[in-house]
Short mmCIF file of all heavy atoms in Angstrom, two decimals:
data_model
loop_
_atom_site.label_atom_id
_atom_site.label_comp_id
_atom_site.label_asym_id
_atom_site.label_seq_id
_atom_site.Cartn_x
_atom_site.Cartn_y
_atom_site.Cartn_z
N MET I 1 0.80 -1.17 0.00
CA MET I 1 0.01 -0.01 -0.02
C MET I 1 0.91 1.23 0.00
O MET I 1 1.79 1.36 0.79
CB MET I 1 -0.87 -0.01 1.23
CG MET I 1 -1.82 1.11 1.28
SD MET I 1 -3.01 0.81 2.63
CE MET I 1 -3.17 2.43 3.27
N SER I 2 0.59 2.13 -0.89
CA SER I 2 1.39 3.36 -0.95
C SER I 2 0.51 4.52 -0.59
O SER I 2 -0.58 4.70 -1.03
CB SER I 2 1.93 3.44 -2.41
OG SER I 2 2.55 4.71 -2.61
N GLU I 3 1.06 5.49 0.25
CA GLU I 3 0.32 6.63 0.59
C GLU I 3 1.10 7.86 0.06
O GLU I 3 2.41 7.84 0.02
CB GLU I 3 0.19 6.77 2.07
CG GLU I 3 -0.81 5.80 2.64
CD GLU I 3 -1.37 6.22 3.92
OE1 GLU I 3 -1.69 7.44 4.10
OE2 GLU I 3 -1.45 5.36 4.84
N HIS I 4 0.46 8.88 -0.32
CA HIS I 4 1.09 10.07 -0.82
C HIS I 4 0.79 11.21 0.16
O HIS I 4 -0.33 11.42 0.62
CB HIS I 4 0.58 10.39 -2.23
CG HIS I 4 0.93 9.35 -3.20
ND1 HIS I 4 2.16 9.20 -3.77
CD2 HIS I 4 0.22 8.27 -3.66
CE1 HIS I 4 2.16 8.20 -4.62
NE2 HIS I 4 1.00 7.61 -4.52
N PHE I 5 1.84 11.99 0.41
CA PHE I 5 1.71 13.18 1.36
C PHE I 5 2.17 14.39 0.58
O PHE I 5 3.11 14.30 -0.27
CB PHE I 5 2.56 12.97 2.57
CG PHE I 5 2.09 11.77 3.42
CD1 PHE I 5 2.62 10.53 3.20
CD2 PHE I 5 1.10 11.93 4.33
CE1 PHE I 5 2.20 9.45 3.96
CE2 PHE I 5 0.63 10.86 5.11
CZ PHE I 5 1.17 9.61 4.92
N ASP I 6 1.61 15.53 0.96
CA ASP I 6 2.12 16.74 0.40
C ASP I 6 3.45 17.18 1.04
O ASP I 6 4.27 17.79 0.34
CB ASP I 6 1.10 17.91 0.64
CG ASP I 6 -0.22 17.61 -0.07
OD1 ASP I 6 -0.23 17.28 -1.24
OD2 ASP I 6 -1.29 17.74 0.60
N VAL I 7 3.61 16.92 2.30
CA VAL I 7 4.75 17.39 3.10
C VAL I 7 5.13 16.32 4.11
O VAL I 7 4.27 15.68 4.67
CB VAL I 7 4.39 18.71 3.82
CG1 VAL I 7 5.63 19.16 4.63
CG2 VAL I 7 3.98 19.78 2.87
N ALA I 8 6.42 16.16 4.39
CA ALA I 8 6.89 15.33 5.47
C ALA I 8 7.64 16.29 6.43
O ALA I 8 8.49 17.02 6.02
CB ALA I 8 7.89 14.25 4.99
N VAL I 9 7.26 16.22 7.73
CA VAL I 9 7.86 17.05 8.75
C VAL I 9 8.77 16.07 9.53
O VAL I 9 8.36 15.07 10.10
CB VAL I 9 6.77 17.64 9.70
CG1 VAL I 9 7.45 18.38 10.84
CG2 VAL I 9 5.88 18.58 8.90
N LEU I 10 10.04 16.45 9.57
CA LEU I 10 11.08 15.63 10.25
C LEU I 10 11.28 16.20 11.64
O LEU I 10 11.74 17.31 11.82
CB LEU I 10 12.40 15.65 9.53
CG LEU I 10 12.37 15.17 8.06
CD1 LEU I 10 13.73 15.29 7.41
CD2 LEU I 10 11.93 13.75 8.02
N GLY I 11 10.93 15.44 12.63
CA GLY I 11 11.09 15.85 14.02
C GLY I 11 9.84 16.59 14.54
O GLY I 11 9.36 17.51 13.87
N MET I 12 9.37 16.21 15.71
CA MET I 12 8.17 16.84 16.26
C MET I 12 8.50 17.59 17.55
O MET I 12 7.79 17.51 18.55
CB MET I 12 7.09 15.79 16.49
CG MET I 12 6.39 15.36 15.27
SD MET I 12 5.58 16.70 14.34
CE MET I 12 4.20 17.00 15.45
N GLY I 13 9.60 18.33 17.47
CA GLY I 13 9.89 19.25 18.56
C GLY I 13 8.94 20.43 18.39
O GLY I 13 7.99 20.43 17.61
N PRO I 14 9.21 21.54 19.15
CA PRO I 14 8.30 22.69 19.02
C PRO I 14 8.14 23.22 17.65
O PRO I 14 7.00 23.60 17.27
CB PRO I 14 9.05 23.73 19.95
CG PRO I 14 9.78 22.86 20.94
CD PRO I 14 10.23 21.69 20.13
N GLY I 15 9.19 23.28 16.89
CA GLY I 15 9.04 23.82 15.47
C GLY I 15 8.29 22.84 14.57
O GLY I 15 7.48 23.26 13.79
N GLY I 16 8.53 21.54 14.76
CA GLY I 16 7.78 20.55 13.93
C GLY I 16 6.32 20.50 14.24
O GLY I 16 5.53 20.40 13.32
N GLU I 17 5.96 20.67 15.48
CA GLU I 17 4.58 20.66 15.90
C GLU I 17 3.86 21.89 15.24
O GLU I 17 2.79 21.72 14.73
CB GLU I 17 4.44 20.77 17.39
CG GLU I 17 4.76 19.50 18.12
CD GLU I 17 4.53 19.56 19.64
OE1 GLU I 17 3.36 19.41 20.01
OE2 GLU I 17 5.51 19.88 20.33
N VAL I 18 4.49 23.00 15.32
CA VAL I 18 3.89 24.19 14.76
C VAL I 18 3.70 24.07 13.22
O VAL I 18 2.68 24.34 12.67
CB VAL I 18 4.69 25.49 15.13
CG1 VAL I 18 4.18 26.68 14.30
CG2 VAL I 18 4.55 25.77 16.61
N ALA I 19 4.79 23.58 12.57
CA ALA I 19 4.81 23.46 11.15
C ALA I 19 3.70 22.49 10.69
O ALA I 19 2.94 22.75 9.74
CB ALA I 19 6.18 22.97 10.65
N ALA I 20 3.64 21.29 11.36
CA ALA I 20 2.63 20.33 10.99
C ALA I 20 1.24 20.87 11.21
O ALA I 20 0.35 20.68 10.32
CB ALA I 20 2.85 19.06 11.79
N GLY I 21 1.02 21.56 12.23
CA GLY I 21 -0.28 22.13 12.53
C GLY I 21 -0.70 23.18 11.48
O GLY I 21 -1.84 23.16 11.00
N ARG I 22 0.20 24.00 11.10
CA ARG I 22 -0.11 25.06 10.06
C ARG I 22 -0.30 24.42 8.75
O ARG I 22 -1.18 24.87 8.02
CB ARG I 22 0.99 26.07 10.04
CG ARG I 22 1.01 26.96 11.28
CD ARG I 22 2.01 28.06 11.17
NE ARG I 22 2.01 28.85 12.37
CZ ARG I 22 2.85 29.87 12.59
NH1 ARG I 22 3.74 30.12 11.72
NH2 ARG I 22 2.77 30.56 13.70
N LEU I 23 0.46 23.39 8.40
CA LEU I 23 0.24 22.70 7.15
C LEU I 23 -1.09 22.02 7.05
O LEU I 23 -1.79 22.06 6.01
CB LEU I 23 1.41 21.75 6.87
CG LEU I 23 2.78 22.39 6.61
CD1 LEU I 23 3.86 21.36 6.77
CD2 LEU I 23 2.76 22.93 5.13
N LEU I 24 -1.46 21.40 8.15
CA LEU I 24 -2.80 20.72 8.22
C LEU I 24 -3.93 21.73 8.06
O LEU I 24 -4.85 21.46 7.34
CB LEU I 24 -2.93 19.96 9.53
CG LEU I 24 -2.13 18.65 9.65
CD1 LEU I 24 -2.13 18.17 11.07
CD2 LEU I 24 -2.69 17.58 8.68
N LYS I 25 -3.80 22.84 8.73
CA LYS I 25 -4.77 23.88 8.61
C LYS I 25 -4.92 24.43 7.18
O LYS I 25 -5.94 24.89 6.78
CB LYS I 25 -4.55 25.02 9.60
CG LYS I 25 -4.90 24.67 11.02
CD LYS I 25 -4.68 25.88 11.91
CE LYS I 25 -5.01 25.51 13.35
NZ LYS I 25 -4.70 26.58 14.27
N ALA I 26 -3.79 24.38 6.49
CA ALA I 26 -3.75 24.85 5.09
C ALA I 26 -4.25 23.78 4.12
O ALA I 26 -4.29 23.97 2.95
CB ALA I 26 -2.33 25.21 4.71
N GLY I 27 -4.68 22.66 4.70
CA GLY I 27 -5.29 21.60 3.86
C GLY I 27 -4.25 20.62 3.25
O GLY I 27 -4.62 19.80 2.36
N LYS I 28 -3.08 20.65 3.76
CA LYS I 28 -2.07 19.70 3.22
C LYS I 28 -2.19 18.32 3.95
O LYS I 28 -2.53 18.26 5.09
CB LYS I 28 -0.66 20.30 3.44
CG LYS I 28 -0.47 21.57 2.77
CD LYS I 28 -0.52 21.47 1.33
CE LYS I 28 -0.25 22.81 0.62
NZ LYS I 28 -0.47 22.73 -0.82
N LYS I 29 -1.76 17.29 3.28
CA LYS I 29 -1.65 15.97 3.87
C LYS I 29 -0.21 15.81 4.38
O LYS I 29 0.74 15.87 3.62
CB LYS I 29 -1.96 14.85 2.86
CG LYS I 29 -2.09 13.48 3.51
CD LYS I 29 -2.65 12.53 2.50
CE LYS I 29 -2.75 11.12 3.19
NZ LYS I 29 -3.18 10.13 2.29
N VAL I 30 -0.03 15.67 5.72
CA VAL I 30 1.25 15.75 6.35
C VAL I 30 1.69 14.39 6.92
O VAL I 30 0.89 13.75 7.65
CB VAL I 30 1.20 16.82 7.45
CG1 VAL I 30 2.55 16.90 8.16
CG2 VAL I 30 0.80 18.15 6.94
N ALA I 31 2.89 13.99 6.62
CA ALA I 31 3.52 12.82 7.31
C ALA I 31 4.41 13.38 8.31
O ALA I 31 5.19 14.30 8.08
CB ALA I 31 4.28 11.98 6.26
N VAL I 32 4.41 12.77 9.50
CA VAL I 32 5.24 13.16 10.60
C VAL I 32 6.33 12.05 10.86
O VAL I 32 5.93 10.88 11.00
CB VAL I 32 4.42 13.41 11.85
CG1 VAL I 32 5.40 13.65 13.05
CG2 VAL I 32 3.54 14.61 11.68
N ILE I 33 7.53 12.37 10.95
CA ILE I 33 8.66 11.41 11.17
C ILE I 33 9.31 11.83 12.48
O ILE I 33 9.93 12.89 12.55
CB ILE I 33 9.63 11.42 10.03
CG1 ILE I 33 8.87 11.03 8.73
CG2 ILE I 33 10.76 10.44 10.32
CD1 ILE I 33 9.65 11.28 7.48
N GLU I 34 9.22 10.95 13.49
CA GLU I 34 9.84 11.24 14.81
C GLU I 34 10.27 9.91 15.40
O GLU I 34 9.48 8.99 15.44
CB GLU I 34 8.81 11.95 15.69
CG GLU I 34 9.26 12.16 17.11
CD GLU I 34 10.53 13.03 17.22
OE1 GLU I 34 10.48 14.20 16.90
OE2 GLU I 34 11.54 12.46 17.60
N ARG I 35 11.54 9.86 15.87
CA ARG I 35 11.97 8.63 16.49
C ARG I 35 11.77 8.57 18.01
O ARG I 35 11.94 7.52 18.64
CB ARG I 35 13.42 8.40 16.12
CG ARG I 35 14.35 9.37 16.82
CD ARG I 35 15.78 9.03 16.48
NE ARG I 35 16.58 10.16 17.03
CZ ARG I 35 17.86 10.18 16.97
NH1 ARG I 35 18.52 9.20 16.50
NH2 ARG I 35 18.52 11.21 17.55
N GLU I 36 11.51 9.70 18.62
CA GLU I 36 11.34 9.77 20.06
C GLU I 36 9.86 10.22 20.37
O GLU I 36 8.95 9.91 19.64
CB GLU I 36 12.32 10.77 20.68
CG GLU I 36 13.76 10.26 20.48
CD GLU I 36 14.19 9.18 21.38
OE1 GLU I 36 13.49 8.82 22.37
OE2 GLU I 36 15.22 8.52 21.09
N LEU I 37 9.72 10.96 21.41
CA LEU I 37 8.45 11.47 21.88
C LEU I 37 8.07 12.78 21.21
O LEU I 37 8.91 13.60 20.99
CB LEU I 37 8.49 11.67 23.40
CG LEU I 37 8.76 10.43 24.27
CD1 LEU I 37 8.99 10.79 25.74
CD2 LEU I 37 7.62 9.44 24.16
N ILE I 38 6.81 12.90 20.90
CA ILE I 38 6.36 14.16 20.34
C ILE I 38 6.59 15.26 21.38
O ILE I 38 6.13 15.09 22.52
CB ILE I 38 4.87 14.08 19.86
CG1 ILE I 38 4.81 13.18 18.63
CG2 ILE I 38 4.33 15.48 19.54
CD1 ILE I 38 3.41 12.88 18.09
N GLY I 39 7.09 16.38 21.00
CA GLY I 39 7.46 17.45 21.92
C GLY I 39 8.92 17.72 21.84
O GLY I 39 9.40 18.75 22.15
N GLY I 40 9.64 16.71 21.47
CA GLY I 40 11.07 16.82 21.22
C GLY I 40 11.95 16.88 22.45
O GLY I 40 11.44 16.74 23.60
N GLU I 41 13.14 17.02 22.22
CA GLU I 41 14.23 17.06 23.30
C GLU I 41 13.96 18.10 24.31
O GLU I 41 14.10 17.93 25.46
CB GLU I 41 15.58 17.26 22.65
CG GLU I 41 16.74 17.25 23.58
CD GLU I 41 18.02 17.42 22.93
OE1 GLU I 41 18.30 16.71 21.92
OE2 GLU I 41 18.80 18.21 23.41
N CYS I 42 13.51 19.27 23.82
CA CYS I 42 13.29 20.37 24.76
C CYS I 42 12.27 20.06 25.82
O CYS I 42 12.49 20.36 26.98
CB CYS I 42 12.86 21.61 23.95
SG CYS I 42 12.86 23.14 24.94
N ALA I 43 11.19 19.45 25.46
CA ALA I 43 10.11 19.17 26.37
C ALA I 43 10.43 18.04 27.40
O ALA I 43 9.94 18.08 28.54
CB ALA I 43 8.79 18.85 25.67
N TYR I 44 11.24 17.09 26.95
CA TYR I 44 11.47 15.90 27.78
C TYR I 44 12.81 15.80 28.54
O TYR I 44 12.91 15.19 29.52
CB TYR I 44 11.19 14.65 26.90
CG TYR I 44 9.79 14.55 26.53
CD1 TYR I 44 9.34 14.92 25.27
CD2 TYR I 44 8.81 14.04 27.48
CE1 TYR I 44 7.99 14.82 24.93
CE2 TYR I 44 7.48 13.94 27.12
CZ TYR I 44 7.09 14.32 25.87
OH TYR I 44 5.74 14.27 25.49
N TRP I 45 13.83 16.38 27.87
CA TRP I 45 15.19 16.18 28.39
C TRP I 45 15.95 17.43 28.67
O TRP I 45 16.85 17.50 29.48
CB TRP I 45 16.01 15.29 27.49
CG TRP I 45 15.41 13.95 27.32
CD1 TRP I 45 15.43 12.92 28.24
CD2 TRP I 45 14.65 13.48 26.17
NE1 TRP I 45 14.74 11.84 27.73
CE2 TRP I 45 14.26 12.14 26.46
CE3 TRP I 45 14.35 14.03 24.95
CZ2 TRP I 45 13.57 11.39 25.56
CZ3 TRP I 45 13.62 13.27 24.08
CH2 TRP I 45 13.22 11.94 24.42
N ALA I 46 15.63 18.51 27.92
CA ALA I 46 16.57 19.68 28.04
C ALA I 46 15.84 20.85 28.67
O ALA I 46 15.85 21.02 29.88
CB ALA I 46 17.08 20.04 26.62
N CYS I 47 15.29 21.71 27.85
CA CYS I 47 14.78 23.06 28.34
C CYS I 47 13.87 22.96 29.51
O CYS I 47 14.10 23.56 30.52
CB CYS I 47 14.11 23.76 27.21
SG CYS I 47 15.14 23.98 25.75
N VAL I 48 12.72 22.29 29.32
CA VAL I 48 11.71 22.37 30.39
C VAL I 48 12.15 21.65 31.65
O VAL I 48 12.05 22.29 32.72
CB VAL I 48 10.34 21.68 29.81
CG1 VAL I 48 9.35 21.60 30.94
CG2 VAL I 48 9.89 22.52 28.65
N PRO I 49 12.68 20.45 31.61
CA PRO I 49 13.16 19.87 32.86
C PRO I 49 14.29 20.68 33.53
O PRO I 49 14.36 20.83 34.75
CB PRO I 49 13.67 18.48 32.46
CG PRO I 49 12.84 18.16 31.22
CD PRO I 49 12.69 19.43 30.52
N SER I 50 15.20 21.19 32.71
CA SER I 50 16.29 22.02 33.23
C SER I 50 15.76 23.28 33.95
O SER I 50 16.22 23.54 35.04
CB SER I 50 17.28 22.43 32.15
OG SER I 50 17.84 21.28 31.54
N LYS I 51 14.81 23.93 33.34
CA LYS I 51 14.27 25.14 33.93
C LYS I 51 13.52 24.78 35.21
O LYS I 51 13.49 25.60 36.17
CB LYS I 51 13.33 25.81 32.95
CG LYS I 51 14.14 26.49 31.83
CD LYS I 51 13.23 27.08 30.76
CE LYS I 51 14.15 27.65 29.64
NZ LYS I 51 13.37 27.87 28.45
N THR I 52 12.84 23.66 35.29
CA THR I 52 12.18 23.30 36.50
C THR I 52 13.15 23.14 37.68
O THR I 52 12.79 23.40 38.85
CB THR I 52 11.39 21.95 36.29
OG1 THR I 52 10.48 22.15 35.20
CG2 THR I 52 10.66 21.49 37.48
N VAL I 53 14.37 22.62 37.39
CA VAL I 53 15.33 22.42 38.42
C VAL I 53 16.12 23.65 38.71
O VAL I 53 16.38 24.01 39.89
CB VAL I 53 16.30 21.28 37.97
CG1 VAL I 53 17.50 21.17 38.95
CG2 VAL I 53 15.61 19.95 37.90
N LEU I 54 16.42 24.41 37.66
CA LEU I 54 17.30 25.62 37.84
C LEU I 54 16.57 26.91 38.24
O LEU I 54 17.15 27.74 38.91
CB LEU I 54 18.11 25.82 36.54
CG LEU I 54 19.02 24.65 36.13
CD1 LEU I 54 19.68 24.95 34.80
CD2 LEU I 54 20.12 24.43 37.19
N ARG I 55 15.37 27.08 37.74
CA ARG I 55 14.70 28.35 37.93
C ARG I 55 14.35 28.69 39.41
O ARG I 55 14.56 29.83 39.82
CB ARG I 55 13.46 28.42 37.11
CG ARG I 55 12.75 29.72 37.05
CD ARG I 55 13.65 30.77 36.49
NE ARG I 55 12.97 32.08 36.64
CZ ARG I 55 13.54 33.21 37.13
NH1 ARG I 55 14.79 33.19 37.52
NH2 ARG I 55 12.83 34.28 37.27
N PRO I 56 13.86 27.80 40.26
CA PRO I 56 13.56 28.22 41.64
C PRO I 56 14.73 28.85 42.44
O PRO I 56 14.60 29.88 43.03
CB PRO I 56 13.11 26.88 42.27
CG PRO I 56 12.48 26.12 41.11
CD PRO I 56 13.40 26.42 40.00
N PRO I 57 15.96 28.24 42.33
CA PRO I 57 17.06 28.91 43.03
C PRO I 57 17.40 30.28 42.42
O PRO I 57 17.73 31.26 43.14
CB PRO I 57 18.27 27.98 42.83
CG PRO I 57 17.64 26.63 42.59
CD PRO I 57 16.37 26.95 41.85
N GLU I 58 17.26 30.44 41.12
CA GLU I 58 17.46 31.75 40.48
C GLU I 58 16.44 32.81 40.92
O GLU I 58 16.81 33.93 41.21
CB GLU I 58 17.45 31.59 38.95
CG GLU I 58 18.61 30.84 38.35
CD GLU I 58 18.39 30.63 36.85
OE1 GLU I 58 17.39 31.07 36.27
OE2 GLU I 58 19.25 29.95 36.31
N ALA I 59 15.20 32.33 41.07
CA ALA I 59 14.14 33.21 41.53
C ALA I 59 14.40 33.69 42.97
O ALA I 59 14.22 34.83 43.32
CB ALA I 59 12.77 32.53 41.41
N ARG I 60 14.85 32.74 43.83
CA ARG I 60 15.22 33.07 45.20
C ARG I 60 16.31 34.16 45.23
O ARG I 60 16.19 35.09 46.01
CB ARG I 60 15.59 31.85 45.92
CG ARG I 60 15.93 32.12 47.42
CD ARG I 60 16.30 30.87 48.12
NE ARG I 60 16.67 31.21 49.48
CZ ARG I 60 17.07 30.35 50.39
NH1 ARG I 60 17.22 29.16 50.07
NH2 ARG I 60 17.31 30.71 51.59
N THR I 61 17.33 33.94 44.46
CA THR I 61 18.40 34.95 44.37
C THR I 61 17.89 36.25 43.96
O THR I 61 18.29 37.32 44.55
CB THR I 61 19.54 34.43 43.40
OG1 THR I 61 20.05 33.15 43.90
CG2 THR I 61 20.66 35.44 43.30
N GLU I 62 17.08 36.30 42.96
CA GLU I 62 16.51 37.62 42.49
C GLU I 62 15.62 38.28 43.50
O GLU I 62 15.65 39.50 43.64
CB GLU I 62 15.70 37.40 41.17
CG GLU I 62 16.59 37.04 39.96
CD GLU I 62 17.72 38.03 39.69
OE1 GLU I 62 17.45 39.24 39.72
OE2 GLU I 62 18.88 37.62 39.52
N VAL I 63 14.89 37.53 44.27
CA VAL I 63 14.10 38.10 45.37
C VAL I 63 15.01 38.83 46.39
O VAL I 63 14.72 39.94 46.76
CB VAL I 63 13.25 37.03 46.07
CG1 VAL I 63 12.68 37.55 47.42
CG2 VAL I 63 12.14 36.54 45.19
N HIS I 64 16.11 38.26 46.71
CA HIS I 64 17.02 38.87 47.66
C HIS I 64 17.69 40.13 47.06
O HIS I 64 18.11 40.99 47.78
CB HIS I 64 18.09 37.83 48.11
CG HIS I 64 17.45 36.84 49.07
ND1 HIS I 64 17.18 37.20 50.37
CD2 HIS I 64 17.13 35.54 48.91
CE1 HIS I 64 16.69 36.13 50.95
NE2 HIS I 64 16.65 35.14 50.13
N ARG I 65 17.77 40.21 45.71
CA ARG I 65 18.42 41.37 45.10
C ARG I 65 17.44 42.51 44.83
O ARG I 65 17.76 43.61 44.55
CB ARG I 65 19.00 40.96 43.74
CG ARG I 65 20.25 40.09 43.87
CD ARG I 65 20.75 39.78 42.47
NE ARG I 65 21.85 38.86 42.62
CZ ARG I 65 22.35 38.15 41.63
NH1 ARG I 65 21.77 38.23 40.40
NH2 ARG I 65 23.32 37.29 41.78
N ALA I 66 16.13 42.17 44.83
CA ALA I 66 15.02 43.14 44.47
C ALA I 66 15.06 44.33 45.48
O ALA I 66 15.31 44.16 46.69
CB ALA I 66 13.70 42.42 44.48
N ALA I 67 14.66 45.43 44.95
CA ALA I 67 14.58 46.66 45.80
C ALA I 67 13.57 46.52 46.84
O ALA I 67 12.49 45.98 46.64
CB ALA I 67 14.24 47.81 44.88
N GLY I 68 13.89 46.89 48.05
CA GLY I 68 12.88 46.86 49.11
C GLY I 68 13.00 45.59 49.92
O GLY I 68 12.48 45.51 51.03
N VAL I 69 13.76 44.54 49.49
CA VAL I 69 13.88 43.35 50.32
C VAL I 69 15.25 43.02 50.65
O VAL I 69 15.60 41.98 51.16
CB VAL I 69 13.22 42.11 49.65
CG1 VAL I 69 11.69 42.30 49.57
CG2 VAL I 69 13.80 41.81 48.27
N THR I 70 16.18 43.98 50.38
CA THR I 70 17.62 43.78 50.69
C THR I 70 17.72 43.51 52.22
O THR I 70 17.23 44.29 53.00
CB THR I 70 18.48 45.06 50.36
OG1 THR I 70 18.26 45.24 48.90
CG2 THR I 70 19.92 44.79 50.55
N GLY I 71 18.34 42.43 52.56
CA GLY I 71 18.60 42.08 53.96
C GLY I 71 17.42 41.25 54.49
O GLY I 71 17.56 40.75 55.60
N ALA I 72 16.35 41.17 53.82
CA ALA I 72 15.20 40.42 54.28
C ALA I 72 15.45 38.91 54.17
O ALA I 72 16.02 38.46 53.22
CB ALA I 72 13.92 40.76 53.51
N GLU I 73 15.10 38.15 55.19
CA GLU I 73 15.26 36.75 55.17
C GLU I 73 13.91 36.11 55.06
O GLU I 73 13.00 36.48 55.83
CB GLU I 73 15.99 36.26 56.43
CG GLU I 73 17.46 36.60 56.47
CD GLU I 73 18.23 36.02 55.38
OE1 GLU I 73 18.04 34.82 54.98
OE2 GLU I 73 19.11 36.67 54.80
N LEU I 74 13.76 35.18 54.13
CA LEU I 74 12.49 34.53 53.97
C LEU I 74 12.67 33.07 54.43
O LEU I 74 13.65 32.44 54.18
CB LEU I 74 12.07 34.49 52.48
CG LEU I 74 11.82 35.88 51.86
CD1 LEU I 74 11.55 35.79 50.39
CD2 LEU I 74 10.64 36.61 52.57
N ASP I 75 11.66 32.56 55.11
CA ASP I 75 11.69 31.17 55.52
C ASP I 75 11.17 30.33 54.39
O ASP I 75 9.94 30.11 54.28
CB ASP I 75 10.86 30.98 56.80
CG ASP I 75 11.04 29.54 57.35
OD1 ASP I 75 11.61 28.72 56.67
OD2 ASP I 75 10.58 29.35 58.47
N TRP I 76 12.06 29.84 53.50
CA TRP I 76 11.62 29.09 52.34
C TRP I 76 11.02 27.79 52.57
O TRP I 76 10.21 27.22 51.86
CB TRP I 76 12.80 28.98 51.34
CG TRP I 76 13.19 30.28 50.81
CD1 TRP I 76 14.14 31.11 51.21
CD2 TRP I 76 12.54 30.89 49.76
NE1 TRP I 76 14.14 32.29 50.56
CE2 TRP I 76 13.22 32.18 49.57
CE3 TRP I 76 11.51 30.63 48.88
CZ2 TRP I 76 12.78 33.08 48.57
CZ3 TRP I 76 11.12 31.55 47.89
CH2 TRP I 76 11.81 32.76 47.71
N ALA I 77 11.28 27.21 53.81
CA ALA I 77 10.63 25.97 54.17
C ALA I 77 9.14 26.13 54.34
O ALA I 77 8.38 25.28 54.02
CB ALA I 77 11.30 25.41 55.42
N GLU I 78 8.74 27.33 54.82
CA GLU I 78 7.34 27.56 55.06
C GLU I 78 6.61 28.02 53.80
O GLU I 78 5.39 27.85 53.68
CB GLU I 78 7.12 28.63 56.14
CG GLU I 78 7.58 28.21 57.51
CD GLU I 78 7.39 29.32 58.51
OE1 GLU I 78 6.79 30.30 58.22
OE2 GLU I 78 7.93 29.14 59.64
N THR I 79 7.33 28.67 52.82
CA THR I 79 6.64 29.20 51.72
C THR I 79 6.70 28.26 50.48
O THR I 79 6.03 28.52 49.53
CB THR I 79 7.37 30.56 51.27
OG1 THR I 79 8.71 30.30 50.95
CG2 THR I 79 7.18 31.58 52.32
N SER I 80 7.49 27.21 50.46
CA SER I 80 7.53 26.31 49.37
C SER I 80 6.69 25.11 49.53
O SER I 80 6.18 24.88 50.54
CB SER I 80 9.02 25.98 49.01
OG SER I 80 9.60 25.39 50.14
#
């Protein structure tokens, strides 16, 4: 059995998802080629998980640097 597609999208990371969606809305028949999970490396291994681990300590540091709270100590055990 042979199928014909207008477009093949390689990789379903953030860019591939947007491209495939726009092509489908434009009436194109789209083939998606992905060897891992849809969402790509960013969603599962890199950007999102890294930000989840790294961002809270950065936010805490910025709170201490913010105007009006210099020298203030927050009890993070009670607020988190």
Side-chain angles (χ1 to χ4, degrees):
M1 183 170 140
S2 175
E3 288 202 44
H4 298 279
F5 297 92
D6 297 312
V7 179
V9 176
L10 302 177
M12 284 302 286
E17 286 184 82
V18 170
R22 289 185 180 175
L23 289 162
L24 286 169
K25 284 183 182 178
K28 302 296 181 184
K29 188 171 180 183
V30 180
V32 171
I33 301 168
E34 175 59 68
R35 69 177 173 176
E36 296 287 342
L37 300 170
I38 291 176
E41 182 177 313
C42 191
Y44 294 98
W45 300 284
C47 304
V48 175
S50 296
K51 288 176 185 164
T52 301
V53 172
L54 300 175
R55 186 63 185 129
E58 290 172 3
R60 181 179 179 184
T61 299
E62 291 304 314
V63 165
H64 286 285
R65 290 183 186 161
V69 294
T70 304
E73 290 297 318
L74 299 175
D75 186 350
W76 290 96
E78 292 179 13
T79 60
S80 57

